[in-house]
Amino acid sequence: MKIKRAIVSVSSKEGLSDLALFLKNLNVEILSTGGTKKYLESIGVTPTEVGAYTGFPEIMDGRVKTLHPKVHGGILNIRDNAEHQKAMKDHGISPIDMIVVNLYPFVEVVSKGCTFEDAIENIDIGGPSMIRAAAKNFKYVTVVVDPGDYPKVIMNMTENDGSTTEEMRFYLAKKVFALTSAYDRAITDYLSKI
């Protein structure tokens, strides 16, 4: 699948500059939020604010920013399903081909000691929703949650004229479900001790 549009929203910026500049050089449209958008701008990448894409601003102190049909419809649509494509057209939804997300650092925050309120605010909602949607639709969407995979994705896209292979997408999708399972387990463990 050729990557034409990507959402990049990460808590850790480790290794991101190489991937972001690579996507920029391929003329991939990048959508982003908050701190990630500022970081991308600082390295010469000009993303579109997710709120500008959806037509709906970030609200509730950032609790709601990517939870929108234009985001999830863009990720979850089956590209060769005529009904899905009609819904995309009817609602002005564009396909999203890549999701680059790492989650709020819940484990790191609680391991350093924090208030219960801080722990709760570090439970990511939009990130897991996007990466699970992308992993479910790996046939069409590339989802990257591990900065260690950025070089592999760059290589795969370089070898495939800006596309990723289904084998690569499946490998990345499996990592998502391992990550979200561990993330939810960490939250459950933390809350169980209270």
Side-chain angles (χ1 to χ4, degrees):
M1 294 299 303
K2 190 117 176 161
I3 308 299
K4 296 177 184 170
R5 183 174 296 103
I7 290 181
V8 180
S9 183
V10 296
S11 57
S12 168
K13 312 302 186 271
E14 174 195 340
L16 183 60
S17 61
D18 290 343
L19 179 61
L21 292 168
F22 175 77
L23 295 174
K24 176 187 175 182
N25 289 338
L26 290 180
N27 296 314
V28 172
E29 178 187 356
I30 298 176
L31 309 174
S32 195
T33 59
T36 303
K37 182 177 183 290
K38 288 177 186 166
Y39 172 78
L40 292 172
E41 290 169 341
S42 79
I43 62 167
V45 175
T46 309
T48 299
E49 178 74 41
V50 167
Y53 166 71
T54 62
F56 199 89
E58 238 179 76
I59 60 171
M60 301 176 187
D61 301 317
R63 281 184 163 206
V64 179
K65 50 191 166 202
T66 58
L67 298 170
H68 193 281
K70 280 192 167 184
V71 171
H72 289 276
I75 296 168
L76 283 164
N77 75 94
I78 296 173
R79 307 309 203 255
D80 54 3
N81 180 307
E83 288 182 26
H84 284 209
Q85 296 315 302
K86 181 180 182 320
M88 296 278 286
K89 184 176 179 185
D90 290 349
H91 298 287
I93 300 173
S94 300
I96 297 171
D97 310 303
M98 176 180 274
I99 303 294
V100 181
V101 167
N102 46 63
L103 306 179
Y104 292 172
F106 179 83
V107 172
E108 292 82 353
V109 168
V110 298
S111 68
K112 292 177 184 172
C114 66
T115 66
F116 179 73
E117 291 75 19
D118 283 342
I120 295 301
E121 286 308 311
N122 277 280
I123 296 174
D124 201 325
I125 303 301
S129 297
M130 286 191 297
I131 64 176
R132 286 176 61 88
K136 175 179 180 169
N137 207 24
F138 75 88
K139 184 175 178 186
Y140 307 100
V141 182
T142 304
V143 56
V144 191
V145 295
D146 180 355
D149 288 323
Y150 296 168
K152 294 175 190 167
V153 171
I154 290 170
M155 178 72 71
N156 194 257
M157 290 178 68
T158 299
E159 292 171 350
N160 294 283
D161 192 32
S163 297
T164 56
T165 61
E166 188 167 346
E167 179 182 26
M168 172 60 72
R169 293 190 303 276
F170 186 53
Y171 159 79
L172 295 168
K174 290 185 283 186
K175 291 188 86 167
V176 166
F177 292 113
L179 172 66
T180 57
S181 174
Y183 194 77
D184 286 342
R185 170 55 37 199
I187 294 166
T188 300
D189 290 347
Y190 172 81
L191 295 175
S192 296
K193 293 174 187 171
I194 295 175

